[in-house]
């Protein structure tokens, strides 16, 4: 497996002087194609920061980031945006759906961003909703959906653009355990079926069994990397 | 922007429609602005058009006027000899007399009004009335005959052809009515043959106010004007366009009307812009997390401000549509009033563009705010 993302010796310092916080203290991380990688660790340990660095949202103060072999640390925000659009789909703790748009339209936004023509957008959006089991909710607005359903719409949105990786920050934190389980199973199945990487920040011990690999972070450093073997697939 | 509505059009529309009260306030602001601008610029257009109408409608390439004359309705008295002298200038094809003199009129019922007697040469028709609705222009050949406009029937107490009035104590008879020849000075025009005009105003036989010059077809009017100036140092010569503008500008400047109308239009523009900017910004602030989400997903800045500009454009379309309709209604209502409000399509198009520009300018602070969003803020 080749690395999709390679973070090397990344340091991230927030603020300056007395008030500065070193959120990452020289972290190296690889995200490989098709794997499910979980980032775990105590609150404030730097998980979100690392996800942002790996996800081309934040350039590290020091160290390098490669995305599909290309150095991206230090690129402008517009250039980073283009890379995110091409390679990543994001899922957030609070779903971040557009309340004024229906489920299908929410998914279609991601396609519109990628320049997919209107004629194909509709079909692709409905297909993505079918895949997350919400084909019958396409015309519903977010306010008419449960938390778990909203998060599945968000996953459909992240997947619709056919990204190389889905990056998710605590996607199950706001969900009850059954919905959380369903969301993670969905991410797992879709990733495996379509060969996409999933990087997932979580506190939730109930979902770790879905991981191929777990990275533990503590106080801005990686403590250990545990390979979590999955049952061999046919 | 493509013509078929896209997702951003939808998003922009839903964002606006979501808060109907705020959208309504935005529209009120734009409608107020458009209506105010339309009425003020319409009045200005009406003024300019009305003041210079006689100059614009008169078939003359050059106007020979008394030295220092500033407007068509403030003429000087010049000797007719000037007309004969001009006829000898190379490039002059015709030179006809013209008068524009204020006079006191006694209505049939005895009341007094001020009028402007407009004298022209009935033989050539140059400078005569152009929109005759009742009567026959040839009747102006009758002694004491005048033509007035329908708009002023009530003001002058004249109801029908054949009625007699008194001008400066002399008897005159109305032989026809024009339609829509408005006066800016509020003194209605009485068109008459030059001889009648002289008789009514007490002008001597060899005096007039203007010489209307037609230049030869192959002559350059400016060159002819220069030759006339060289020959006659005590008069001024203007092309039709120059004298038209000079007449309008005189009144716009001396009365302050031009200034106040322009200021009122500008105020309309500013009020509309402030209200629109305010409400657009409030909508943008409400939606900030969504813009941050788009940013995190990788949306380029242009995608984000595209949404805001679409909101501005939607507001502009609705606001302009309603505002210009109200203005058209006001214009319609004022068509028989003493001041013309004119809203030609060119002005309407200009106002439409101004409205879009205003709304786009109003979007600037929202755009700046959205462009400053840090995409990592979605993780907070
Ligand atoms: N924008 C910021 N400015 C200053 N300090 C920040 C900022 N973002 C994060 N930090 C600090 O950096 C450290 C790492 O934060 P980060 O959000 O990456 O932690 P986390 O592991 O995701 O925590 P949690 O599990 O609570 O989400 C923390 O000490 C945090 O206070
Ligand atoms: Mg976090």
């Amino acid at each position: 497996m080749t690395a999709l993302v390679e973070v090397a010796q990344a340091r991230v310092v927030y603020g300056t002087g007395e008030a500065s916080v070193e959120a990452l203290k020289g972290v190296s991380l690889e995200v490989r194609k098709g794997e499910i990688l979980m980032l775990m660790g105590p609150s404030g340990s730097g998980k979100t920061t690392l996800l942002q660095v790996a996800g081309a949202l934040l350039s590290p103060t020091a160290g390098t980031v490669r995305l599909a072999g290309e150095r991206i640390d230090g690129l402008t925000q517009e250039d980073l945006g283009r890379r995110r659009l091409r390679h990543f789909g994001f899922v957030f703790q609070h779903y971040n759906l557009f309340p004024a748009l229906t489920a299908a339209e929410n998914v279609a936004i991601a396609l519109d961003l990628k320049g997919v023509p209107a004629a194909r957008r509709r079909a692709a959006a409905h297909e993505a909703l079918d895949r997350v089991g919400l084909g019958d909710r396409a015309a519903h607005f977010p306010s008419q959906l449960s938390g778990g359903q909203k998060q599945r719409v968000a996953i459909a949105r992240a997947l619709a653009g056919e990204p190389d990786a889905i990056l998710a920050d605590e996607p199950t934190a706001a969900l009850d355990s059954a919905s959380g389980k369903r969301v993670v199973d969905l991410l797992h199945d879709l990733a495996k079926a379509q060969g996409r990487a999933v990087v997932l920040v979580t506190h939730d011990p109930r979902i770790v069994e879905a991981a191929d690999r777990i990275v533990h972070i503590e106080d801005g450093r990686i403590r250990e990397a545990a390979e979590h073997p999955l049952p061999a697939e046919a | 922007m493509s013509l078929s509505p896209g997702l951003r059009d939808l998003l922009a529309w839903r964002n606006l429609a979501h808060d109907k009260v705020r959208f309504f306030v935005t529209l009120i602001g734009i409608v107020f602005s458009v209506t105010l601008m339309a009425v003020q610029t319409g009045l200005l257009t009406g003024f300019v058009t009305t003041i210079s109408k006689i100059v614009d409608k008169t078939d003359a390439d050059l106007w020979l006027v008394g030295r220092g004359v500033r407007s068509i309705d403030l003429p000087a008295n010049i000797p007719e000899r000037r007309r004969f002298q001009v006829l000898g200038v190379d490039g002059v094809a015709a030179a006809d007399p013209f008068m524009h003199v204020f006079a006191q009129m006694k209505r049939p019922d005895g009341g007094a009004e001020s009028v402007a007697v407009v004298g022209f040469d009935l033989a050539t028709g140059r400078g005569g009335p152009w929109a005759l609705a009742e009567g026959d222009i040839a009747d102006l050949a009758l002694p004491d005959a005048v033509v007035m406009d329908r708009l002023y029937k009530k003001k002058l107490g004249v109801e029908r052809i054949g009625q007699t009035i008194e001008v400066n104590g002399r008897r005159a008879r109305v032989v026809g009515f024009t339609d829509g020849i408005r006066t800016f000075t509020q003194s209605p025009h009485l068109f008459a043959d030059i001889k009648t005009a002289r008789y009514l105003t007490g002008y001597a036989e060899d005096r007039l106010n203007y010489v209307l010059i037609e230049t030869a077809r192959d002559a350059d009017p400016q060159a002819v004007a220069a030759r006339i100036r060289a020959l006659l140092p005590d008069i001024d010569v203007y092309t039709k366009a120059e004298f038209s503008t000079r007449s309008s500008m005189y009144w716009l400047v001396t009365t302050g009307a031009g200034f106040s109308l322009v200021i009122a239009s500008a105020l309309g523009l500013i009020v509309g812009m402030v209200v629109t900017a305010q409400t657009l910004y409030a909508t943008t602030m409400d939606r900030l997390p969504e813009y941050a989400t788009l940013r995190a997903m990788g949306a380029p800045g242009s995608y984000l401000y595209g949404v805001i500009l679409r909101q501005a454009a939607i507001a502009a379309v609705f606001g302009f549509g309603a505002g210009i309709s109200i203005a058209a209604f006001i214009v319609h209502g004022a068509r028989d009033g003493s001041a013309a409000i004119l809203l030609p399509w060119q002005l309407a198009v200009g106002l439409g563009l101004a409205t879009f520009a205003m709304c786009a300018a109003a979007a600037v602070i929202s755009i700046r705010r959205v462009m400053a969003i840090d995409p990592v803020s979605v993780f907070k």
Side-chain angles (χ1 to χ4, degrees):
Chain A
M1 277 192 201
T2 49
L4 175 66
V5 182
E6 288 176 77
V7 178
Q9 290 304 315
R11 287 181 64 229
V12 170
V13 180
Y14 290 114
T16 51
E18 293 278 290
S20 73
V21 176
E22 190 170 9
L24 294 182
K25 301 172 176 171
V27 169
S28 298
L29 178 79
E30 269 192 10
V31 179
R32 298 165 202 152
K33 287 182 181 161
E35 74 168 342
I36 298 180
L37 171 63
M38 291 200 189
L39 302 179
M40 300 189 78
S43 181
S45 58
K47 303 181 297 294
T48 297
T49 304
L50 180 55
L51 188 77
Q52 288 167 356
V53 168
L57 282 154
L58 179 68
S59 282
T61 316
T64 62
V65 183
R66 282 174 199 278
L67 172 60
E70 178 205 15
R71 282 271 303 257
I72 60 162
D73 45 286
L75 290 185
T76 64
Q77 196 50 254
E78 287 284 316
D79 282 333
L80 287 175
R82 261 191 285 279
R83 304 300 188 288
R84 293 197 294 274
L85 203 53
R86 188 178 324 142
H87 296 285
F88 300 132
F90 292 91
V91 175
F92 310 98
Q93 180 175 344
H94 301 290
Y95 330 123
N96 292 47
L97 298 178
F98 297 84
L101 299 181
T102 64
E105 288 157 359
N106 264 284
V107 176
I109 277 274
L111 297 161
D112 189 38
L113 275 175
K114 285 204 142 184
V116 176
R120 246 191 308 130
R121 263 192 330 244
R122 252 188 97 73
H126 281 86
E127 202 183 301
L129 284 173
D130 278 338
R131 273 185 275 160
V132 299
L134 288 174
D136 56 340
R137 297 301 172 104
H140 284 59
F141 286 90
S143 59
Q144 300 168 316
L145 300 172
S146 72
Q149 289 170 331
K150 278 187 245 194
Q151 198 59 303
R152 278 147 63 197
V153 172
I155 291 170
R157 176 174 71 183
L159 280 169
E162 313 210 322
D164 296 323
I166 289 185
L167 308 187
D169 195 5
E170 311 201 26
T172 63
L175 302 176
D176 62 59
S177 52
S179 311
K181 177 103 175 59
R182 175 129 199 227
V183 161
V184 171
D185 287 348
L186 192 60
L187 280 172
H188 174 265
D189 296 347
L190 292 168
K192 289 302 160 192
Q194 302 177 347
R196 307 188 199 292
V198 174
V199 182
L200 213 148
V201 171
T202 187
H203 280 301
D204 192 346
R206 293 163 304 185
I207 65 173
V208 294
E209 65 202 41
D212 293 324
R213 201 153 62 93
I214 299 171
V215 169
H216 288 276
I217 305 177
E218 244 178 61
D219 192 25
R221 290 196 179 85
I222 287 178
R223 201 185 61 193
E224 74 198 54
E227 299 289 333
H228 184 98
L230 278 170
E233 281 170 80
Chain B
M1 270 187 221
S2 82
L3 282 178
S4 63
L7 260 182
R8 274 188 294 175
D9 302 306
L10 185 72
L11 190 56
W13 171 248
R14 297 259 178 86
N15 283 351
L16 289 177
H18 179 77
D19 193 336
K20 296 195 174 58
V21 172
R22 186 182 289 153
F23 188 38
F24 190 68
V25 170
T26 312
L27 291 186
I28 296 277
I30 299 173
V31 167
F32 171 81
S33 170
V34 170
T35 309
L36 190 61
M37 285 193 292
V39 170
Q40 299 300 316
T41 54
L43 267 171
L44 194 60
T45 310
F47 277 16
V48 170
T49 310
T50 306
I51 294 166
S52 60
K53 194 73 170 192
I54 288 190
V55 180
D56 296 334
K57 282 287 184 180
T58 293
D59 175 26
D61 300 312
L62 296 174
W63 282 67
L64 191 147
V65 316
R67 185 99 235 198
V69 166
R70 305 194 49 190
S71 179
I72 168 85
D73 27 35
L74 300 170
N77 179 324
I78 59 178
E80 183 146 32
R81 189 160 30 90
R82 296 282 173 269
R83 184 164 79 85
F84 304 124
Q85 288 172 304
V86 161
L87 275 170
V89 172
D90 189 26
V92 172
D96 294 322
F98 191 69
M99 283 175 61
H100 185 294
V101 182
F102 287 107
Q104 285 304 313
M105 186 202 110
K106 201 192 265 177
R107 302 168 17 147
D109 66 4
E113 283 290 345
S114 168
V115 291
V117 177
V118 177
F120 67 101
D121 187 351
L122 188 61
T124 66
R126 197 187 308 280
W130 56 89
L132 203 73
E134 287 174 55
D136 186 346
I137 199 87
D139 288 344
L140 283 177
L142 301 169
D144 320 338
V146 297
V147 162
M148 57 171 279
D149 197 89
R150 281 173 168 174
L151 277 171
Y152 303 108
K153 279 183 172 177
K154 199 179 270 170
K155 181 177 168 80
L156 301 188
V158 176
E159 282 150 21
R160 62 199 140 68
I161 286 175
Q163 276 187 291
T164 57
I165 53 177
E166 248 180 52
V167 177
N168 283 357
R170 297 179 169 101
R171 217 181 74 108
R173 187 159 29 126
V174 177
V175 299
F177 292 103
T178 55
D179 185 35
I181 300 184
R182 204 181 276 276
T183 171
F184 174 73
T185 61
Q186 304 307 320
S187 300
H189 304 301
L190 295 182
F191 285 92
D193 178 46
I194 186 87
K195 291 188 216 65
T196 312
R198 283 188 180 121
Y199 163 71
L200 291 175
T201 57
Y203 260 51
E205 287 300 307
D206 62 347
R207 307 302 284 188
L208 41 76
N209 298 134
Y210 300 104
V211 179
L212 306 178
I213 296 166
E214 183 185 327
T215 55
R217 193 164 321 153
D218 56 355
D220 169 19
Q222 291 290 3
V224 176
R227 283 198 282 276
I228 297 172
R229 280 186 205 109
L231 179 70
L232 307 171
D234 63 334
I235 50 85
D236 288 336
V237 185
Y238 297 107
T239 63
K240 178 177 181 160
E242 284 165 357
F243 195 51
S244 169
T245 308
R246 187 175 171 84
S247 295
S248 304
M249 286 313 291
Y250 172 76
W251 286 107
L252 291 183
V253 172
T254 55
T255 61
F259 184 69
S260 59
L261 292 174
V262 167
I263 289 291
S265 311
L267 279 179
L269 193 72
I270 291 167
V271 168
M273 185 149 80
V274 168
V275 172
T276 309
Q278 170 70 40
T279 54
L280 265 184
Y281 190 67
T283 302
T284 304
M285 292 307 285
D286 279 357
R287 306 277 159 179
L288 226 41
E290 294 165 42
Y291 289 111
T293 303
L294 281 171
R295 208 60 166 139
M297 288 165 73
S302 59
Y303 194 90
L304 306 189
Y305 67 68
V307 175
I308 294 175
L309 283 178
R310 280 165 171 80
Q311 290 175 1
I314 291 169
V317 166
F318 282 89
F320 179 72
I324 205 76
S325 305
I326 293 173
F329 193 74
I330 293 172
V331 167
H332 185 74
R335 74 197 181 288
D336 290 335
S338 61
I341 308 176
L342 296 182
L343 202 54
W345 68 265
Q346 294 92 332
L347 181 57
V349 168
L351 287 169
L353 294 177
T355 309
F356 274 91
M358 169 183 92
C359 289
V364 166
I365 51 166
S366 291
I367 288 171
R368 287 175 59 105
R369 182 67 193 84
V370 159
M371 294 303 279
I373 290 175
D374 189 345
V376 305
S377 63
V378 286
F379 293 93
K380 295 279 146 58

